């Protein structure tokens, strides 16, 4: 499941594959960008903000007006290709000539070619080319990024605390409070803290400890695609509660439960995470 760590890893893959490269071709397979041609554009850098990917590009002189329908100008030559993975998106980097085997071809939304690598974006969401100066319009609403260089636990706690009556399960997923936690880390953090997912934010005994643990869990999975919160990378042993409905709690043996909470499902141990 793409959460902050997956997006961070993806940004690094694109950075290694494309940073500094001049693109030799592009192929956008989404209507809003179909006429766009990034041939000759240079990739400055690839980075992530929460679950958003930002591929920063420099256009050759005169290119923006030709390359994009709107806005025709403004933003100078620095542009950002924004994408969001949501539940099912992915970027892959291939060597030139390598078969694009990661996903079915009909899921391809964009192809970026460079002399050393081909980057293919599958089932991307919110794909947009905007002036870099306007990045904030897409990511400015986000809370502190758990994997950002500017991670600020105090600010995350402040933002969470501003919604005292919201359930902690929903508040942790709200990217305006802190950016990067998805459903897996939400479930796991709450289990490890012994907090019931339906508890209101005001009733969570140690919010600083909760956000700090979330940051540590995500950071531990940087640089690898397998997501584990238990320390084990063995199949079936990578989580405490997430994806383990009806299986025994690793701590107390009680059957793990799964129920809807807001727009998402949540997993929890009714014994280790009792409602107060
Ligand atoms: Zn338990």
């Amino acid at each position: 499941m793409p959460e902050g760590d997956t997006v961070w890893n993806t940004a690094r893959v694109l950075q290694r594959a494309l940073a500094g490269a001049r693109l030799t071709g592009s192929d956008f397979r989404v209507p809003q960008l179909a006429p766009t041609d990034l041939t000759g554009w240079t990739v400055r850098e690839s980075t992530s903000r929460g679950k958003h990917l930002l591929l920063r590009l420099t256009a050759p002189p005169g290119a923006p007006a030709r390359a994009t329908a709107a806005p025709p100008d403004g933003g100078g030559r620095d542009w950002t290709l924004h994408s969001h993975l949501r539940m099912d998106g992915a970027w892959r980097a291939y060597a030139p000539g390598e078969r694009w085997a990661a996903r079915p071809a009909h899921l391809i939304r964009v192809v970026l070619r460079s002399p050393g690598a081909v980057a293919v974006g599958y089932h991307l969401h919110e794909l947009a080319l905007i002036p870099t100066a306007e990045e904030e319009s897409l990511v400015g609403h986000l809370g502190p990024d758990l994997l950002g260089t500017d991670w600020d636990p105090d600010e995350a706690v402040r933002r969470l605390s501003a919604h005292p009556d919201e359930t902690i399960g929903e508040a942790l997923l709200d990217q305006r409070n802190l950016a990067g936690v998805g459903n897996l880390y939400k479930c796991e953090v709450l289990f490890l803290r012994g907090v019931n997912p339906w508890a209101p934010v005001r009733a969570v005994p140690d919010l600083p400890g909760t956000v700090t643990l979330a940051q540590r869990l995500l950071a531990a999975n940087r640089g690898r695609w397998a997501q584990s919160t238990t320390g084990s990378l063995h199949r079936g042993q990578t989580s405490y509660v997430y994806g383990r409905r009806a299986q025994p709690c690793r701590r107390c043996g009680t059957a793990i439960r799964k129920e809807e909470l807001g727009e998402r499902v949540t997993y929890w141990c009714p014994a280790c995470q009792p409602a107060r």
Side-chain angles (χ1 to χ4, degrees), residues 191 241 248-256 268-273:
F191 170 81
V241 292
C249 173
R250 299 192 193 284
R251 197 174 268 167
C252 74
T254 302
I256 299 301
W268 85 107
C269 171
C272 294
Q273 300 165 264

Side-chain angles (χ1 to χ4, degrees), residues 120-145:
V120 179
Y122 297 93
H123 216 163
L124 301 173
H125 303 269
E126 302 169 39
L127 198 58
L129 187 64
I130 59 165
T132 297
E134 295 175 16
E135 277 182 5
E136 288 296 295
S137 68
L138 293 176
V139 298
H141 65 289
L142 296 173
D145 181 350

